[in-house]
Amino acid sequence: MSKHKPNRAAQPNDIKAVQPKKKILVSACLYGYCCRYDGRSNLLRDKTFLDWKNRGLLVPVCPEVLGGLKTPRLPSEISEGRVISREGEDVSPQFNKGADEALKLAKENKVLFAIMKDGSPSCGCKHIYDGTFSGTKINGSGVCAKLLLENGIVVLAEDDMFTAKILFNEK
Ligand code: SF4
């Protein structure tokens, strides 16, 4: 007779289901990348946001960089449906390309929602600047935030973390 104990039959609890991680699309400057037009970041120091970051749940995207623009770069604003740099260059093609790339990443990662930097001509979901480069904000969405919304992705601003936490726990 063998001295070895027979193998115990596998029990249901032995098989731990590997849950896919919940992912959230975020503006790369909120994540901490220095990708703003002026080469700085907008690191969001919210405790929950930083926890999600440490757990690898955030998918950082900078639509302007994804669209081929360099950092630093001239600031741009939306005017009559086009994105125009401070020196008058129409950078709409780069902004549209970046928005498409960000949407692709959002879909690939099956993100629950997005947290995007408000006020940006790409990422703003509540406000943008009015196109006069005078520092005047108006209600409106940036190019990328608009595309995400049109594709059914909830877009929150960085000051909407309360809602973000509720959405994260619901899904
Ligand atoms: Fe941040 Fe979006 Fe501007 Fe990139 S495009 S710097 S992610 S606000």
Side-chain angles (χ1 to χ4, degrees):
M1 206 173 126
S2 165
K3 290 179 182 172
H4 299 291
K5 285 185 186 173
N7 284 339
R8 179 178 69 88
Q11 303 296 308
N13 287 344
D14 292 345
I15 305 162
K16 294 210 172 73
V18 179
Q19 297 284 348
K21 280 184 179 176
K22 296 178 181 182
K23 294 287 179 112
I24 302 157
L25 194 78
V26 299
S27 292
C29 58
L30 295 176
Y31 188 89
Y33 286 114
C34 296
C35 52
R36 274 173 41 145
Y37 74 94
D38 58 3
R40 298 168 63 191
S41 87
N42 290 313
L43 176 64
L44 183 55
R45 297 182 191 278
D46 177 271
K47 194 165 162 276
T48 303
F49 185 90
L50 294 173
D51 175 52
W52 289 343
K53 179 178 172 180
N54 290 336
R55 289 162 60 193
L57 308 186
L58 304 183
V59 179
V61 292
C62 178
E64 291 172 29
V65 171
L66 288 173
L69 295 171
K70 293 195 174 81
T71 306
R73 56 189 169 277
L74 288 172
S76 298
E77 296 190 3
I78 297 175
S79 175
E80 296 176 5
R82 309 295 299 174
V83 191
I84 309 293
S85 81
R86 196 177 54 203
E87 290 190 354
E89 185 190 355
D90 185 343
V91 286
S92 305
Q94 292 93 323
F95 273 65
N96 289 331
K97 179 176 186 292
D100 288 342
E101 295 293 329
L103 176 62
K104 207 165 121 194
L105 282 167
K107 287 183 174 172
E108 280 170 10
N109 285 281
K110 297 184 173 63
V111 299
L112 300 179
F113 54 88
I115 303 170
M116 308 297 274
K117 178 76 185 84
D118 199 32
S120 154
S122 286
C123 296
C125 64
K126 299 197 284 198
H127 305 97
I128 52 171
Y129 289 94
D130 71 352
T132 62
F133 294 94
S134 61
T136 310
K137 280 187 181 174
I138 54 172
N139 292 336
S141 299
V143 176
C144 180
K146 189 163 177 280
L147 185 68
L148 295 171
L149 287 163
E150 285 168 354
N151 281 271
I153 296 169
V154 172
V155 182
L156 303 171
E158 69 276 17
D159 59 0
D160 287 330
M161 281 305 296
F162 181 77
T163 308
K165 286 171 213 169
I166 293 172
L167 279 185
F168 182 83
N169 291 326
E170 269 177 2
K171 302 210 181 190

